[in-house]
Amino acid sequence: MPDLWRLSPELAMKISLAPLQYFWSKQQVFDFYESLVNTSVDIVYLGETVCSKRRELSLPDWLEIARLLQDSGKEVVLSTMVLVEAESELMTMRKIIHNNEFIIEANDIAAINLLKKGQPFIIGQHINVYNRETLDFLVRSSAKRWCAPVELSHNTLLEIKNRHPWPIEVEVFSFGKLPLAYSARCFSARANNKCKDECELRCLDYPDGQLMRTLEGSDFLTINGIQLQSANHYNLLSSIKDLYELNISCMRISPQFKNTIEVINLFRQVIDQDANLVAAQKTITAYAGQGECNGYWFGDPGMHRHI
Amino acid sequence: MNSKIKLICPAGNLPSLRAAVDQGADAVYIGFRNGSNARNFPGLNFDKASSAKAIEYAHQSGTNVYLALNTYPQPKQWAVSTNSIDIAAEQGFDAIIIADIGLLNYAHKHHPQMRLHLSVQGSATNYETIAFYREQFNIQRVVLPRTLSIAQIKRVVENTEVEVEVFGFGGLCVMLEGRCVLSSYVTGQSPNMNGVCSPAKAVRWEETGDGKNSRLNNVLIDHFAADDVVGYPTLCKGRFQVGGKPYYAIEEPSSLNTLEILPELVNIGIKAIKIEGRQRGVTYVKQVTRIFREAINRYYYSPGEFLLDDSWTECLNSYSEGQCQTFGAYHRSWQ
């Protein structure tokens, strides 16, 4: 492979870590983020984005983690909830947005509405940006980076770029179970015969979510509270060259209970061309649990896998 | 009685539109046949000539016509969508229902007199989100996703000057609309990108020794015994296994029906109630419009004594998926 990336080190792609999608104990969360201090991850998104009943960590706890990571040279972003309904959820969001220290990621338009005039923010992957006009509108509203929706293919991103430089940094979800849907209903509670109001926080028992199979036993989806994810891991390791050529700034990895650091290291090595892609791909398969998919990138059903 | 709750009915073609108008809809919502709306099904929707006829017919009875323009256009679809907005303005549509920020911006800039409604696909579940769309694009109404409880809807209504519309009857979307990509994960096509969910062309039926399988792009969605009621394989309404236990892991095949809680909806200040189903036949549109019109009229005639008519319930049951109905998220116990 030609030495593409080293030609312009200032354009080297960064690695970001998505907000933790699952419910872990406070100690597990602290241990996890402390273990990232000496890794090559560049950007860390922090905070609860799935369910407001998950209160192992308070905002001061998250801020403590944020400062620890910032002191170790990471860019830290505070993420906000995807489905915001209750007044208490809006109150939490206001506190996060007005923290005065860290930039925020908006996953609902409410977060953008709560920004102070000119306050920069990151457009999360759940804000629906499917065309250049919407992106430009949000850039005019002080957006600093855009994490594209998972549905957008390589070709669609090319069309949105439209041969111009990107107006802001662009980030692409590159590894982990895909967040696919959110509901008022809690599927973890339902799977455990509980109703949402008496859910007993059962999702704490499933640090990578609960597998949903079809009736004939094929792995299909993952239940994670009010969220559904893919069972398979989305993996764009083999498409790094596409992303580089598209001037993508940042590849997003979703935290999982085991091997997150190994995944970060593999992406780093391939980006820096310190590892052979074929060998790295073989290694990462072992960290991808139920299996891999990458169909969205190719404009196909997301569950498909191109080799 | 100008303040009566407005009845908003679906039409996938001219006969359905006429039926909705004749049965007393306050407004009918339709889409163009160009992939710009969330019922992008073969043989459905309007071209420029039929939408002109639709508006003429509806306006003669004082009924409004809304254009549903609620996909998120990718660059190739952008011009089709903006062109649809221009046509809607030229033809005299009474409002456009939009989800995409870029399109709202276009419509607000180029047709400032046009009434804009934020589509259910815009995922507005709180008043801060609604305030953004009001301030930026002067939206007049918001259609709320089917994820909120009555108490939460009340809170929204109390904190916005924008009219609030909710779903009253029809197919029940379990997920937060606008943020569900399950369909494209399995089939490559989704409501956001293509205006379809679990598209018919991905469906395959399979006879088995003991009944039938339904598949969506080869993924097994459900298995029906020979004497089971067979349902369309919408992927969130199939049977799956969690922990080895097969059940409707996401949602049972059922439809939303709020007729019984109509007084509550009126009392908390809902301005419009929407019937789902542009893909449904003319008889569905006619019967559901008739029943909701009668119910609304009966309520306002004597608000304290509102009772359901058994014949309404029976008829609506026959149009429900799996012959099963629910209040959905409006009642907290469903969640």
Side-chain angles (χ1 to χ4, degrees), chain B residues 122-141:
Chain B
S123 320
T125 54
N126 59 74
Y127 59 83
E128 292 289 354
T129 294
I130 298 168
F132 174 88
Y133 289 103
R134 174 70 159 190
E135 193 183 316
Q136 301 294 334
F137 313 118
N138 193 30
I139 61 161
Q140 303 293 306
R141 190 183 293 171

Side-chain angles (χ1 to χ4, degrees), chain B residues 100-176:
Chain B
D100 182 74
I101 287 176
L103 287 182
L104 282 162
N105 190 42
Y106 177 91
H108 180 52
K109 249 194 205 160
H110 292 84
H111 305 285
Q113 79 295 347
M114 175 56 80
R115 209 182 137 88
L116 300 178
H117 294 184
L118 182 65
S119 167
V120 68
Q121 295 296 122
S123 320
T125 54
N126 59 74
Y127 59 83
E128 292 289 354
T129 294
I130 298 168
F132 174 88
Y133 289 103
R134 174 70 159 190
E135 193 183 316
Q136 301 294 334
F137 313 118
N138 193 30
I139 61 161
Q140 303 293 306
R141 190 183 293 171
V142 57
V143 187
L144 296 184
R146 283 158 277 195
T147 57
L148 295 152
S149 67
I150 291 275
Q152 288 167 338
I153 295 174
K154 185 165 181 277
R155 182 96 203 153
V156 169
V157 173
E158 286 166 354
N159 286 281
T160 181
E161 52 183 340
V162 175
E163 296 172 2
V164 173
E165 176 173 321
V166 298
F167 276 86
F169 186 82
L172 176 67
C173 194
V174 193
M175 300 302 170
L176 171 57

Side-chain angles (χ1 to χ4, degrees), chain A residues 82 84-85 87 94 108 113 128 131 134 151 156 159 180 182-183 185 190 197 213-214 216 296 303, chain B residues 73-74 76 102 125 127-129 147 155 174 176 178-179 181 184-185 190 215 241 248 250-251 332:
Chain A
V82 175
V84 184
E85 299 182 319
E87 191 63 33
R94 286 187 190 104
D108 184 77
N113 195 56
N128 283 338
N131 50 63
T134 299
E151 286 190 306
T156 302
E159 287 163 17
L180 297 176
Y182 296 80
S183 176
R185 169 173 274 179
R190 184 174 169 85
D197 286 341
R213 293 194 166 99
T214 67
E216 56 194 354
Y296 277 134
M303 67 180 185
Chain B
Q74 296 172 64
K76 282 200 176 104
T125 54
Y127 59 83
E128 292 289 354
T129 294
T147 57
R155 182 96 203 153
V174 193
L176 171 57
R179 293 194 194 139
V181 297
S184 64
Y185 181 67
S190 69
R215 290 183 187 273
Q241 316 181 55
Y248 292 106
I250 307 172
E251 167 67 331
R332 186 89 194 167

